[in-house]
Amino acid sequence: MDRPVVACVLAGGLGSRLYPASRRDRPKQLRSLVGERSLLARTMDRTAFADEQYVLTRESFADTVSEHAPQAGVLVEPAGKDTGPALVYAAWRLRKQFDTEPVLICLPSDHYVADDAAFATRLERAAEIAVETGGLVTVGVEPTRPSPGYGYVVPTDGLEADTDDYAAVTQFTEKPDREHARELIDAGAYWNVGVFAWKPSALLAAARNSPLAPLVESLAAGDPRGGFEAVEASSVDYAIIERATNVFVTPLSVGWDDLGTWDAVGRILERAGDESNDVVAGRVLAIDATGNVVAAPDAHVSLLEVDDLIVTAFGNRLLIAPRDASQRVRDVVDRLRHRDAF
């Protein structure tokens, strides 16, 4: 390719649904929840093919991020306002870093990928498509179940992960109910997993026709902080991608999961073994107990005649909840924030 490929890894979130492992001063991307290396370090490994790597994070995480990604540059966003403002800011900053406009590969730091080599190959191809089309490219993961927790992207024509390269996007649907998700999958939809490729100029042009236009104007005037103050928090999907006309999807068919909940962490551990309970950390005695997710690195946990629970203990914080309520852990964190106890 005649321009640099730059990996931009998003690592500024708090990961509230993985409380109490994820806290204000130690978010999930800096934890080793699956394997021995942190989620951020593993993400940096699978983007090592890029010419340069950057991590986009908040100021309070910057020093610790450098410990987990010493090879990467660190971009500090002026404020935490979700992925929309963050990625517009990164595009503006990184376009100025290079003599030739780069192509950016933007991805979260908290995903599980079963085949790093296949993932890297697809990201490299996504970068090429972004240059070929001049558009915004999303990597669509082939669904394995009708999950209501993910967004869905429908290509204009049939798109086979094993044979087709990419297609234009005709529809985005964010977190449908289970029945609608099943209908979308039957219609050929892919999971929209927040992995993108684009030239900075393409994203900035699309942002000028979006609710983030005030941010683009302020960045052009050299006032990033004022630009962040002028816009609401919003995801890049909602603010830009779903409104743009030049959006393409390229398919990925490897094992993937968003490690955003304890249930998701349990799913990954289930793939790795055949234990009746999924132990992230700690020592567990289980008697007539199955399907529980246990994360208690400094404790011994005894389970007796209980099924499908989340049992987590980090420091002086303990959380016990039904496994199917893993999305609602965020409600706990919201209450704790009101008490300044997160």
Side-chain angles (χ1 to χ4, degrees), residues 17 68 77 107 114 119 128 137 176 197 199 218 230 235 238 245 278:
R17 291 172 298 169
H68 291 255
E77 54 191 355
L107 68 163
F119 183 73
E128 293 172 351
V137 180
K199 293 184 295 183
S218 293
S235 71
Y238 174 76
T245 57
D278 306 315

Side-chain angles (χ1 to χ4, degrees), residues 6-7 31 51 60 67-68 101 103 154 167 203 207 225 244 247 310:
V6 178
R31 290 253 184 213
D51 296 303
S60 58
E67 297 173 9
H68 291 255
E101 184 181 33
V103 57
V154 180
L203 182 69
R225 192 165 296 278
V247 183
I310 300 165

Side-chain angles (χ1 to χ4, degrees), residues 209-226:
N209 296 310
S210 81
L212 299 181
L215 173 58
V216 180
E217 294 171 4
S218 293
L219 291 173
D223 182 21
R225 192 165 296 278

Side-chain angles (χ1 to χ4, degrees), residues 147-228:
S147 172
Y150 299 146
Y152 290 76
V153 55
V154 180
T156 52
D157 302 306
L159 186 63
E160 296 295 333
D162 294 333
T163 58
D164 292 326
D165 214 7
Y166 70 94
V169 171
T170 187
Q171 176 187 344
F172 285 96
T173 301
E174 186 64 21
K175 296 183 178 179
D177 60 39
R178 194 172 301 278
E179 183 57 35
H180 191 194
R182 187 175 288 108
E183 293 170 356
L184 287 166
I185 293 173
D186 290 342
Y190 287 79
W191 282 335
N192 183 32
V193 300
V195 178
F196 304 104
W198 48 56
K199 293 184 295 183
S201 58
L203 182 69
L204 293 170
R208 289 189 183 94
N209 296 310
S210 81
L212 299 181
L215 173 58
V216 180
E217 294 171 4
S218 293
L219 291 173
D223 182 21
R225 192 165 296 278
F228 270 70

Side-chain angles (χ1 to χ4, degrees), residues 94-328:
L94 292 173
R95 185 172 65 167
K96 297 166 60 176
Q97 298 282 97
F98 298 88
D99 295 331
T100 301
E101 184 181 33
V103 57
L104 306 183
I105 294 171
C106 304
L107 68 163
S109 57
D110 56 355
H111 288 179
Y112 164 82
V113 176
D115 186 336
D116 284 355
F119 183 73
T121 297
R122 181 52 54 185
L123 292 190
E124 290 182 278
R125 180 58 188 142
E128 293 172 351
I129 296 167
V131 174
E132 292 170 11
T133 63
L136 310 177
V137 180
T138 180
V139 174
V141 169
E142 196 168 12
T144 58
R145 62 190 184 281
S147 172
Y150 299 146
Y152 290 76
V153 55
V154 180
T156 52
D157 302 306
L159 186 63
E160 296 295 333
D162 294 333
T163 58
D164 292 326
D165 214 7
Y166 70 94
V169 171
T170 187
Q171 176 187 344
F172 285 96
T173 301
E174 186 64 21
K175 296 183 178 179
D177 60 39
R178 194 172 301 278
E179 183 57 35
H180 191 194
R182 187 175 288 108
E183 293 170 356
L184 287 166
I185 293 173
D186 290 342
Y190 287 79
W191 282 335
N192 183 32
V193 300
V195 178
F196 304 104
W198 48 56
K199 293 184 295 183
S201 58
L203 182 69
L204 293 170
R208 289 189 183 94
N209 296 310
S210 81
L212 299 181
L215 173 58
V216 180
E217 294 171 4
S218 293
L219 291 173
D223 182 21
R225 192 165 296 278
F228 270 70
E229 292 173 355
V231 297
E232 298 295 324
S234 59
S235 71
V236 71
D237 304 84
Y238 174 76
I240 300 176
I241 305 296
E242 295 178 14
R243 303 166 190 264
T245 57
N246 59 337
V247 183
F248 303 88
V249 58
T250 186
L252 177 69
S253 59
V254 303
W256 170 91
D257 219 317
D258 176 3
L259 294 177
T261 66
W262 287 114
D263 182 49
V265 173
R267 281 197 302 269
I268 300 308
L269 294 173
E270 286 166 5
R271 295 174 189 171
D274 57 359
E275 298 295 326
S276 58
N277 297 284
D278 306 315
V279 181
V280 179
R283 294 162 293 157
V284 176
L285 170 64
I287 301 174
D288 297 328
T290 61
N292 301 288
V293 181
V294 183
D298 300 315
H300 190 293
V301 177
S302 297
L303 303 173
L304 177 62
E305 292 190 14
V306 293
D307 300 323
D308 302 317
L309 291 181
I310 300 165
V311 181
T312 64
F314 286 79
N316 63 351
R317 301 297 180 101
L318 173 67
L319 171 75
I320 300 173
R323 184 164 172 172
D324 62 7
S326 58
Q327 294 283 350
R328 293 199 61 200

Side-chain angles (χ1 to χ4, degrees), residues 12 58 77-83 85-86 228 233:
R58 62 182 65 201
E77 54 191 355
K81 288 204 167 182
D82 212 330
T83 59
F228 270 70

